[in-house]
Amino acid sequence: MGESGREEYKIQSFDAETQQLLKTALKDPGAVDLEKVANVIVDHSLQDRVFSKEAGRMCYAIIQAESKQAGQSVFRRGLLNRLQQEYQAREQLRARSLRGWVCYVTFICNIFDYLRVNNMPMMALVNPVYDCLFRLAQPDSLSKEEEVGDPGLDGPGGESRCLLSMEVDCLVLQLHRVGEQLEKMNQQRMDELFVLIRDGFLLPSGLSSLAQLLLLEIIEFRAAGWKTTPAAHKYYYSEVPD
């Protein structure tokens, strides 16, 4: 019941008609156009960073409800098709809206985190997620600073962050969330990603001290087996400026 309440809370940012559509999809998926529902969720995720962090749980609930009711996967197919469309146009999205791009990466990582096939992450999402994270780790992404301070942020700094690359912020948050799962699916690509991250940490100029701090934190986080040691937690959370 608590889980249902959390789902209800997440759809309050939608208009009344869309809220009703989503509520019906969660309770009686056969009564609505599930491809439309998938598009509504993706569209909103590209605009709302807080929602993009949590939409995976809602998508998982709809997929489970549809499977239980009809043994079908119309919603999942529509969701994955739309994710693929956005993935193929990711450079255009990034050029058009950096915030939209960061929302997309957050969303696809969230979907990767929640969707399972035989209790395993979906192989079809592994390389697209890696490709997105590799893009976040490029030098032009690491050094491009924007104002960051969304209430939905977590990790070192939280709301106190001011000038920071949104892409650095996103990269570190998503690796905290799905890095361990991704590494189990393809360790070679994770090794290559962290070569990029280490190179980025050593950029001679253009990288803020806060970005360097976050990159160092994620390097140490992985080295410790995807865990934060008490000493590291104390250091990174105390060193981030107010």
Side-chain angles (χ1 to χ4, degrees), residues 117-174:
V117 175
N118 297 325
N119 208 33
M120 291 287 289
M122 292 189 69
M123 280 300 300
L125 291 176
V126 172
N127 281 328
V129 169
Y130 263 122
D131 289 344
C132 289
L133 297 180
F134 267 78
R135 185 64 186 90
L136 295 177
Q138 296 300 317
D140 64 325
S141 297
L142 297 179
S143 59
K144 186 170 184 178
E145 292 188 339
E146 300 283 343
E147 189 170 343
V148 176
D150 287 349
L153 295 177
D154 50 19
E159 288 185 57
S160 66
R161 303 179 196 185
C162 289
L163 281 178
L164 171 64
S165 166
M166 283 198 294
E167 292 172 289
V168 170
D169 186 75
C170 182
L171 174 64
V172 171
L173 289 175
Q174 300 321 312

Side-chain angles (χ1 to χ4, degrees), residues 160-203:
S160 66
R161 303 179 196 185
C162 289
L163 281 178
L164 171 64
S165 166
M166 283 198 294
E167 292 172 289
V168 170
D169 186 75
C170 182
L171 174 64
V172 171
L173 289 175
Q174 300 321 312
L175 282 170
H176 270 277
R177 179 166 200 158
V178 300
E180 186 173 10
Q181 295 179 64
L182 274 174
E183 183 165 44
K184 288 176 182 176
M185 304 301 283
N186 190 329
Q187 183 176 342
Q188 181 180 342
R189 290 210 74 185
M190 187 62 72
D191 290 342
E192 293 167 356
L193 177 60
F194 270 79
V195 168
L196 259 184
I197 291 173
R198 285 192 294 272
D199 288 348
F201 174 74
L202 297 171
L203 278 175

Side-chain angles (χ1 to χ4, degrees), residues 27-150:
K27 295 175 182 176
D28 184 13
V32 295
D33 181 344
L34 290 173
E35 287 195 24
K36 178 181 178 181
V37 173
N39 283 320
V40 164
I41 291 174
V42 175
D43 286 341
H44 200 71
S45 294
L46 295 181
Q47 300 168 22
D48 185 335
R49 191 172 180 185
V50 175
F51 180 75
S52 70
K53 292 177 62 179
E54 303 295 339
R57 186 179 286 111
M58 180 183 292
C59 291
Y60 175 76
I62 295 172
I63 288 169
Q64 292 294 101
E66 184 190 12
S67 177
K68 183 177 180 180
Q69 184 184 69
Q72 295 183 331
S73 55
V74 174
F75 175 79
R76 186 174 73 176
R77 185 166 58 250
L79 176 66
L80 293 177
N81 285 343
R82 181 63 193 279
L83 280 173
Q84 183 180 29
Q85 290 171 18
E86 298 296 338
Y87 166 76
Q88 290 171 342
R90 61 194 182 279
E91 284 298 336
Q92 295 94 309
L93 173 61
R94 182 178 180 273
R96 185 172 67 250
S97 169
L98 196 60
R99 189 168 293 273
W101 157 242
V102 165
C103 284
Y104 173 74
V105 178
T106 303
F107 180 61
I108 194 173
C109 288
N110 196 256
I111 294 299
F112 173 78
D113 192 26
Y114 276 98
L115 266 59
R116 290 287 185 272
V117 175
N118 297 325
N119 208 33
M120 291 287 289
M122 292 189 69
M123 280 300 300
L125 291 176
V126 172
N127 281 328
V129 169
Y130 263 122
D131 289 344
C132 289
L133 297 180
F134 267 78
R135 185 64 186 90
L136 295 177
Q138 296 300 317
D140 64 325
S141 297
L142 297 179
S143 59
K144 186 170 184 178
E145 292 188 339
E146 300 283 343
E147 189 170 343
V148 176
D150 287 349

